[in-house]
Each structure stands twice: as C-alpha cells, then as structure tokens.
Amino acid sequence: MVEVDIAYTGICGSDVHEYKIGPVPIRAEDQDHHIRESEWDEQLPKNMGHEIAGTVTTVGEGVEDVSVGDDVALNILLSCGECQYCREGKVQLCTAYDGAVVDSAGFAESIVVPAEAAVPVPDSVPLRHAALAEPMSVSVHAVRRSDLQMGDDVAVFGAGPIGLGIVDAAIAAGANRVLVSEPREARREIAADLGASMVVDPQEEEPIDRFTEISDGGVDVAFEVAGVSETLTQSMRSTKYDGTVVVVSVFEENASIHPNDIMQAERTVTGAFAYVDEFPMTLSMMADGRLSPEKLVTGEVPLEDVDDAFESLIDPESTDVKILVEP
C-alpha cells in the first residue's frame, strides 16, 4: 500500500451523474442499469472522486515501483485478476465490477491505495494535468476500440470532458477531419481550439446533414458521448455504410434506435468502457504534447467549495467543462 498526498482531483461526469440521480452501478444488467432507491441506504453515503494526482508520502513494506516523493496519477480501477476477462487481459470487463459502483475517496487531502494503483508521472507533466490521466485514458481507450485508421473522418457527439478527450486523441491518431456536435457554446469553442474541423450546434442545424455532406456520405467512425437517445441515432446515421459507432457515454435512461440503421448499412456498433493499459500511454502523450489536457480545465476550487463546483457542472448555462478540486 502507499499513501498519497492529493494535489488535484477532477470531477468526473460519472460523479455528476451520481450527484444528480443517486448511485450509478457498473453494468448491473439484472437491474436495468439502476440501483433501486429502496437500496440506496446500502450505498450512501458513498465516497466520490477518482481522477486523482498527488505525491507519495508513505510506502508499505515490499513496495518497489514507487518511492516517497514520487508524483503519481491513480488508476483506481483495479481488477480481481482471476475472472475469465482478467485472464484474457480485458481487465476493464472484470466481473468484480458487476453491480458495483466506483468507490474512491479522492475528494480528500490524502488517500491510501494499493501500490499498483500509483502510476508514475513523467517529470514534464504537472500534477494539474496528471489528474486528467484517468478521463483522458477513457478517451484514448475509446479511440483504440474504434480501430480508427489514419485519414479517417470522425464525428463526436457530445463535447464534455470525455468527448473533448476523444477529439484530442483522434487527431493524435491521425484522423483526417474531426466533426463535433455540441449544444454548449463554451464546449464547442474548446473543441475548435483542439483542432476540430467542424463544430455544430445541434439546436441550430442538423448534424447528420452537415457531417454526411462534408465527409462525402458519412464519417468512418462516430463516437456517442452525450448519453441521449437522439445522439445515438445521429451517431449511426452520420456514419457511412460499413462504418463504426462507439458508444462511450453513461445513459441515465433507456434509448431507442431503429435496428435497420445497423443491419441495412452493415454498421458496427460497439462500446468502450474505462481503459485497459492506457494510463502510462496517456501520460506519455501528455508529456510530448500529443494530448492537451490544459485546454479542458476550466476551473479549480478548494475542497470546501466542491458542492458549488458540482452545481456549476449541472447548470446547462455554465461554461465549465472540467473542474479540479484542490484540497
């Protein structure tokens, strides 16, 4: 085990979901992806905050990979190492997470975690950026899941932190054009600053028409990162025949699609959950400038103001995207 003095903890979109609607389970298909309110007493109060970066202050016996004084980012999604998915190297699908909720106490001054959770941060990456290693690893994993090829056209529906990270990672992976649909102006501006070729407000114009026109009939890969039924359909119909749609967002409600959008166009629809081994890769891409975490950070608050930060992220008129809590 190691103890880490926390420098920054980012507020994740999943944290915001739970702040709004209560505990959100991982998978839990038998409960239709909900925890019944009658069972909340078993989950609440719960720890929150899992986008963590800090400095190691204490190491336990036998710890060799990190030392006191090391700057680290924390990968809190540790798998059981024994189920069939862990044996296959698909640790993000570990059955230990079925029905579980993320339970990491990152909104604190310090935290004790297993040593394997502490990922060393390159010297050139400030802890302010390292706190985004977790969400940006989700984005990098989503791009890798898509089998994006150099020169492909890409559409991203939803420019929250994960969607913006996908814009960044897709450009780094060699995408030809990255097209973004996002209703919030501040987030559209960040997408453009990251290098998006086209950014549209879906409340003002139809993204399907614009994206299929500029990409000559449809993009090669679309990422659904908004979590609503409408964008799920838009992401499919903006994709060319035989294209790929990657669902990355957490949906609060059921969504409906027309299955013919998949069958008759031979589109592939897949999911991307969390990350596998992308943490060191993401930190390396931050270090050499291929990823731009600073552009996603819109605010910092002390720990005592964390409630105000959550309220800002919920507010549809807010310009905030990623807020870091600094204990």
Side-chain angles (χ1 to χ4, degrees), residues 136 140 165 168-169 172 281-283 285-293:
M136 295 197 85
V140 170
D168 211 11
M281 179 191 313
T282 298
L283 287 165
M285 293 174 73
M286 289 181 182
D288 63 22
R290 284 175 291 166
L291 294 178
S292 307

Side-chain angles (χ1 to χ4, degrees), residues 29-42:
E29 294 174 355
D30 59 326
Q31 295 191 33
D32 201 22
H33 300 282
H34 284 84
I35 295 176
R36 302 178 187 91
E37 192 166 351
S38 61
E39 299 176 1
W40 282 10
D41 286 347
E42 301 174 15

Side-chain angles (χ1 to χ4, degrees), residues 42 124 149 184 186 220 223 254:
E42 301 174 15
S124 60
Q149 302 296 307
R184 297 195 191 188
D220 300 279
F223 295 89
N254 287 339

Side-chain angles (χ1 to χ4, degrees), residues 57-231:
T57 56
T58 309
V59 298
E61 185 178 350
V63 174
E64 298 179 352
D65 292 337
V66 293
S67 304
V68 171
D70 287 352
D71 286 343
V72 294
L74 298 190
N75 173 3
I76 53 82
L77 202 62
L78 298 177
S79 58
C80 73
E82 299 177 356
C83 70
Q84 71 175 88
Y85 300 107
C86 288
R87 294 196 303 271
E88 294 171 0
K90 302 172 183 176
V91 295
Q92 80 281 20
L93 302 179
C94 174
T95 57
Y97 306 139
D98 285 354
V101 296
V102 176
D103 188 20
S104 174
F107 298 132
E109 295 180 355
S110 64
I111 189 171
V112 176
V113 296
E116 58 266 33
V119 181
V121 174
D123 291 341
S124 60
V125 177
L127 286 173
R128 172 183 168 90
H129 295 171
L132 274 70
E134 200 275 349
M136 295 197 85
S137 291
V138 174
S139 300
V140 170
H141 177 66
V143 171
R144 297 180 79 196
R145 282 282 294 163
S146 73
D147 290 330
L148 171 69
Q149 302 296 307
M150 184 175 291
D152 281 353
D153 285 340
V154 171
V156 179
F157 291 85
I162 302 299
L164 290 169
I166 289 172
V167 172
D168 211 11
I171 292 171
N176 177 35
R177 287 175 287 231
V178 178
L179 317 175
V180 178
S181 174
E182 166 57 47
R184 297 195 191 188
E185 181 179 2
R187 298 182 176 196
R188 293 196 302 270
E189 291 175 354
I190 296 174
D193 190 31
L194 286 168
S197 306
M198 173 183 284
V199 183
V200 303
D201 180 352
Q203 299 171 325
E204 300 292 335
E205 50 188 333
E206 175 51 66
I208 298 173
D209 295 339
R210 295 299 309 280
F211 292 175
T212 54
E213 178 183 7
I214 195 174
S215 60
D216 192 25
V219 299
D220 300 279
V221 180
F223 295 89
E224 197 295 312
V225 211
V228 294
S229 186
E230 184 178 12
T231 53

